[in-house]
Every structure is written in structure tokens, then in C-alpha cells.
Amino acid sequence: MSGLFGRRRFLKMAGIGASGVGAAAVLARPGTLFADNKTTAPANHGVGAVQQEGADWREMDRLHSEGVGVFLDNVGKEEDFWRTTPLEFTMDGEVKVFTLETTNVQWETSPGMAFPAFAYNGRVPGPTIRATEGERIRIVYTNNMDQSHAIHFHGMYVPNDQDGVPFITQPPVEPGATHTYEFTLRNPGTHMYHSHHNAAEQTAGGLMGAFIVDPKDASREPAYDAEYIMVLNDTSLGFTINGRQFPYTQPIVAKLGQKVRIRYMNEGFMIHPMHLHGLPQLVFSKDGWNLPVPYMCDTLNIAPGERYDVIVEASELGVWAYHCHILTHAESRHGMFGMVTVLIVQE
Ligand SMILES: [Cu+2]
């Protein structure tokens, strides 16, 4: 258990009895809980028409409890789950130089549940690229996977020949080849980089990442105490937040009164209305453009390609469920899965 909060306290907050969780036993046989998620289709989570037969409510409750137990035991076990550690760079004169490589991988959305996937620098989503408005950046990209590729910088002003669309703005980067992108960062905000070649397979299959451009003028930003990046994805690798399915997602933990910034991005093919229990979200930016009038909501629908920036003020103590409200992306008879996490507000 992480030192951020005690297990007993979490359980008390969550209203979960400490008995019968059996999380260690579940971890010892990974994948058994959600074995049928391997097929990834919502219909295969046992959802759809109400099933009159075979309803064993005790088993259903046990599986739900077990999943929450696994989530608790996994807290703090994935470093940089929230992708807030930016990719390192070197300087070439005034240019920030980043290095990206694509490879074929087996990606585990939860232990034991591995999918054939593609990765930038070995991770799904790839590392977060971050720099400041006005800076010049170079990305030295090497393709070490088994199909051609090109990187598109989604939402960003770039010279046309840096837009990353094979046969429109560049030739594809073939397996074994290296390609360099270079441009000056003109529009700040929450952006993305991803595949634009065989993209239905490559992007949903893992080739996606956050590209954050901080504004030169910091007064453009609202005040906040902590920041989280939430990359949503679906289809090829199941329903994931930052490449993982519940119960292997991580919680957001805030102290009472803190302001948390969440940067949403949808790299999948489906809409995901992200619902936070207990606390409203102040939406202040869409696709990196600050809104003329920020607005409050509790459910924010994020369509493919969209980014939203929100501030959540941690004004209410407790453990608040936080999930996609297309419920077939979040829960089945086997318990919660997919796009589910929690926001914990502590004293
Ligand atoms: Cu969803």
C-alpha cells in the first residue's frame, strides 16, 4: 500500500469491509478475474439483455469486491501511470531534441492480459512530450516495427511538410528508417502525437501520446496544485486509461482544498463521457484553446481526437468513483473493469 493513505482508512472511506478481499490471491493468478475481457467487445462482458438465468449474486458480489481489492493492492505500483514525467531531451543549440522509436510489443493492459500492440519508446501511451510555446523542437524518430509509420502532431500548428501524413506531406517511414520532424511550437495547450499511417490499427494499437505545450505567458493558466494526464483508448487494447484497465489503473489523490488539473485526450474510436462522482469539473480549455466562458459539469463527453482541460476542486472528503459513463466500458457481472479509477480526497 502506498504511503499516501492507510489501507484501513481507504477501506473505511470506500465503505468496503477488509475481509474477503483476497487481493493477494487474485494477483497470484493474474487475468483470471477478467479472462473474458480478452475478446474486448462490450457484448462479451455479459452485458446487454438482462440475464434471467445463471445469476449468482454472491459470486457477482465477490468478483466486484475482489476487483476493488486488486485496485487497492496495486496503488502506487506503476510509476508515472499519469504520464506527467516528460520525455528527456538534449539541446542542439536552441533546439530541444527528442528521440522516439516505435516497436512491436505485447502490451499488458492488466497483468496476464497481453495484446499485440505498437509502442513509442516501449510504452502505451508513449512518453509525454513537453516544451514551451515559442521553443523549437526536433523529433528524431526511428521505426523499429514491422510496418511503415508517420507521426502526426494533433492539434498543433506545424509547417505543412511536418504534418505526418504519408503520400500527402511525406513518404512513409519504412521499417528500419529514421525520420526527423522539426518545428517551432506556436499554439500552447493539451495536444497529442499519434500515427497517421494505417492509423486505425496503429493508433488504437498503442501509437499515441500526449504533447503538452506550456504557454509562454503563465497567466494564461488557472491555478492548480497537481496535474494528471488521462489518455483514453478503446477497441484494439480494450477500454483503457493510460494503457491500463481497472483494477490496474491508479487513483488520483488530493488533499482537501487542493485544485487538480486533468488533461483528457481521446485516442480511441468511441466517445467516452467521463463522470466524476461527488465533485464538479470546471472545463476551461478545449483542444488547447481556452474557453471564453469556462463551465461546470459532472460528466464530460470526450469524442475521438478531442482534448479537454478541467480543474477539480477537492472540496469533499472521500473516495469518489471516476469512470466512463458508457457503462459497458466500465462494469460487468464480473465487476468493474476498463475506464474506471477513483479520486481520493484526504484531510
Ligand atoms: Cu467509454
Side-chain angles (χ1 to χ4, degrees):
M1 195 51 152
S2 131
L4 289 170
F5 50 91
R7 181 188 179 89
R8 188 165 299 165
R9 180 170 178 75
F10 185 103
L11 293 173
K12 195 176 158 207
M13 275 181 162
I16 299 156
S19 63
V21 169
V26 173
L27 285 172
R29 46 186 175 84
T32 53
L33 232 192
F34 304 97
D36 66 351
N37 281 10
K38 281 176 178 155
T39 53
T40 75
N44 289 311
H45 294 296
V47 183
V50 171
Q51 295 174 44
Q52 301 288 8
E53 301 296 324
D56 179 343
W57 63 268
R58 286 184 187 82
E59 177 64 2
M60 197 187 298
D61 292 359
R62 188 188 67 76
L63 289 168
H64 276 70
S65 166
E66 203 169 52
V68 173
V70 172
F71 179 81
L72 290 171
D73 278 351
N74 195 53
V75 170
K77 289 192 179 160
E78 183 173 352
E79 202 182 322
D80 199 34
F81 169 83
W82 292 106
R83 295 298 188 276
T84 46
T85 304
L87 179 61
E88 289 182 9
F89 56 86
T90 57
M91 295 300 297
D92 178 10
E94 297 288 295
V95 183
K96 282 187 173 173
V97 183
F98 298 88
T99 302
L100 285 180
E101 178 198 29
T102 50
T103 52
N104 295 72
V105 295
Q106 291 288 314
W107 184 256
E108 290 191 325
T109 59
S110 55
M113 197 192 296
F115 296 86
F118 309 101
Y120 287 118
N121 295 10
R123 306 178 71 192
V124 176
T128 295
I129 301 173
R130 188 161 197 157
T132 301
E133 179 189 5
E135 289 182 325
R136 191 159 182 85
I137 62 115
R138 182 182 304 149
I139 292 170
V140 181
Y141 162 63
T142 303
N143 185 356
N144 283 324
M145 60 179 186
D146 63 359
Q147 51 181 278
S148 299
H149 181 63
I151 305 172
H152 169 61
F153 303 95
H154 183 103
M156 305 176 70
Y157 283 132
V158 293
N160 188 237
D161 63 0
Q162 304 300 298
D163 197 40
V165 184
F167 306 110
I168 292 184
T169 63
Q170 66 165 89
V173 185
E174 295 177 353
T178 291
H179 184 87
T180 299
Y181 296 93
E182 184 170 326
F183 50 92
T184 300
L185 302 176
R186 291 169 57 197
N187 55 319
T190 297
H191 305 305
M192 308 189 288
Y193 66 100
H194 56 221
S195 171
H196 216 294
H197 189 59
N198 186 25
E201 187 180 356
Q202 291 187 6
T203 299
L207 295 179
M208 54 184 178
F211 198 137
I212 309 293
V213 180
D214 292 307
K216 217 182 319 187
D217 174 8
S219 70
R220 183 187 181 276
E221 301 275 70
Y224 56 90
D225 301 293
E227 178 180 15
Y228 296 83
I229 293 168
M230 193 183 286
V231 182
L232 305 170
N233 192 25
D234 51 57
T235 312
S236 314
L237 308 182
F239 297 107
T240 57
I241 295 173
N242 293 346
R244 307 289 186 202
Q245 293 204 37
F246 183 90
Y248 295 95
T249 51
Q250 293 289 327
I252 292 176
V253 182
K255 293 245 182 277
L256 189 65
Q258 282 189 326
K259 287 181 174 173
V260 173
R261 176 185 190 156
I262 298 140
R263 297 176 185 264
Y264 293 105
M265 9 198 126
N266 187 346
E267 287 280 21
F269 305 159
M270 305 175 193
I271 55 169
H272 299 292
M274 294 305 293
H275 175 56
L276 174 60
H277 291 210
L279 297 161
Q281 311 181 43
L282 173 66
V283 186
F284 69 91
S285 181
K286 159 88 166 82
D287 299 339
W289 302 105
N290 280 359
L291 299 174
V293 182
Y295 62 94
M296 302 286 271
C297 67
D298 58 58
T299 307
L300 182 59
N301 193 26
I302 302 145
E306 287 187 322
R307 290 91 62 216
Y308 284 94
D309 285 58
V310 305
I311 298 283
V312 174
E313 190 173 344
S315 59
E316 306 296 315
L317 286 172
V319 180
W320 302 107
Y322 193 0
H323 62 93
C324 177
H325 218 290
I326 295 179
L327 298 179
T328 48
H329 303 177
E331 192 165 40
S332 77
R333 286 188 163 197
H334 289 198
M336 292 186 290
F337 71 94
M339 294 172 157
V340 177
T341 182
V342 298
L343 167 63
I344 299 165
V345 182
Q346 310 174 309
E347 278 181 40

